[in-house]
């Protein structure tokens, strides 16, 4: 009887082990299914892009540039001023737009409206994009727009995205994109503006502190100055900043974007306390706006400030 009882225990233990193994295999199988579904979705998105079935914006152009500095192929989106092809002698200021993967249409429309009402001069808009799916876009912008590596950074519950590529991205701008635009379009070489939001605002702040030769106008919304324990905010006090030309900085964040607005105000206050010659600053915290909704009012107000005579 005792032997029989032991055999039953052995069989039960074996069954439990098999059940655990089956549960493990089911879990692994579901993970693989989810991964396959994700890859299929990415494939569909990329095929749609390749088929060029997306809406085309009037008076725009698209170019491709592969950078030798980071090996990345960039999709460069151009939005022309209305009279660009009529007045063949006129040269235009350039607004370089980060994250043009998602914002190029909205940016181009607001620019057109402000030009029509003579609130800003005619400008050429140059959008910098990657021509990829949404998930990879966020990885690539994380790489390009952050000033140093942060291997422990996690956004929500996601895995670690690449960081620290801003120096190489800056080289791409200075030594590849800017010369390409100067060669192929009628622009004012000395008049370059940058628009960036979130990580784009972080990159613009980095360029202001470390690469001031790149731009003389900065329009930065909801800047992610929290990055790397407020790295750039902490660096401002130690910086001996000088500007060789008149430079304008506009920053804005939403009242409801608590951490962002606080660090923005601290960053701006530290800059103002330095009384830097040739640097004009305008900073806003806009009532009842969030990190995302700051775009409309912030971009409009920012354009009017940075191009105000």
């Amino acid at each position: 009887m005792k032997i029989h009882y032991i055999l039953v225990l052995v069989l039960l233990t074996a069954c439990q082990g098999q059940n655990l193994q089956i549960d493990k295999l089911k879990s692994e199988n579901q993970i693989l299914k989810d991964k396959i579904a994700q890859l299929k979705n990415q494939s569909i998105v990329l095929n749609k892009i390749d088929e060029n079935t997306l809406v085309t914006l009037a008076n725009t152009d698209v170019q491709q540039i592969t950078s030798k500095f980071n090996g990345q192929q960039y999709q460069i989106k151009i939005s022309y001023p209305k009279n660009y092809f009529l007045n063949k002698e006129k040269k235009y200021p350039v607004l370089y737009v980060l994250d043009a993967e998602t914002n190029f249409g909205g940016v181009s429309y607001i620019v057109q409206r402000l030009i029509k009402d003579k609130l800003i001069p005619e400008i050429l808009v140059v959008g910098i994009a990657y021509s990829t799916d949404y998930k990879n876009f966020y990885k690539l912008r994380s790489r390009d727009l952050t000033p140093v590596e942060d291997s422990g950074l996690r956004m929500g519950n996601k895995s670690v995205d690449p960081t620290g590529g801003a120096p190489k991205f800056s080289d791409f701008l200075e030594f590849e994109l800017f010369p390409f635009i100067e060669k192929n379009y009628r622009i004012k070489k000395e008049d370059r503006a940058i628009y960036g939001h979130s990580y784009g605002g972080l990159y613009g702040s980095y360029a202001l502190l470390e690469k001031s030769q790149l731009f003389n106008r900065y329009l930065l919304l909801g800047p992610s100055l929290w990055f790397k324990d407020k790295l750039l905010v902490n660096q401002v006090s130690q910086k001996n900043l000088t500007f060789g030309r008149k430079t304008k900085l506009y920053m804005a964040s939403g009242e409801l974007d608590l951490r962002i607005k606080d660090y923005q105000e601290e960053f701006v206050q530290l800059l103002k306390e330095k009384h830097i010659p040739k640097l004009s600053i305008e900073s806003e915290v806009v009532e009842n706006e969030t990190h995302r909704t700051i775009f409309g009012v912030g971009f409009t107000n920012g354009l009017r400030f940075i191009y105000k005579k």
Side-chain angles (χ1 to χ4, degrees), residues 106-130:
V107 163
S108 299
Y109 180 76
I110 292 175
V111 166
Q112 291 171 13
R113 297 295 89 191
L114 293 181
I115 291 173
K116 188 166 186 176
D117 284 350
K118 302 187 185 309
L119 295 171
I120 65 171
E122 290 185 296
I123 62 176
L124 186 80
V125 177
V126 177
I128 303 168
Y130 302 98

Side-chain angles (χ1 to χ4, degrees), residues 60-67 72-80 94-97 100-101 104 124-131 169 172-173 176-178 180-181 185:
T60 60
D61 192 9
V62 178
Q63 303 287 346
Q64 304 286 343
I65 300 178
T66 300
S67 174
Q72 180 64 48
Q73 183 181 73
Y74 292 95
Q75 184 182 70
I76 307 303
K77 303 181 179 185
I78 310 295
S79 180
Y80 297 98
V94 184
L95 171 65
Y96 288 90
V97 174
E101 211 85 22
F104 189 69
L124 186 80
V125 177
V126 177
I128 303 168
Y130 302 98
S131 187
F169 181 68
F172 160 68
L173 294 178
E176 295 175 324
L177 181 57
F178 292 171
F180 175 84
I181 297 299
Y185 302 92

Side-chain angles (χ1 to χ4, degrees), residues 5 7 32 63 76 87 91 94 113 144 157 228 242:
Y5 179 72
L7 287 173
L32 288 173
Q63 303 287 346
I76 307 303
N87 188 347
K91 294 184 178 181
V94 184
R113 297 295 89 191
D144 283 351
N157 295 318
K228 197 70 172 179
T242 59

Side-chain angles (χ1 to χ4, degrees), residues 98 144-145 166 169-170 173 194 199-207 214:
L98 303 177
D144 283 351
L145 304 181
F169 181 68
S170 298
L173 294 178
I194 181 172
Y199 267 175
L202 175 71
Y203 175 79
S205 303
Y206 162 79
L214 297 182

Side-chain angles (χ1 to χ4, degrees), residues 52-65:
N52 197 27
T53 58
L54 304 180
V55 173
T56 300
L57 299 176
N59 220 25
T60 60
D61 192 9
V62 178
Q63 303 287 346
Q64 304 286 343
I65 300 178

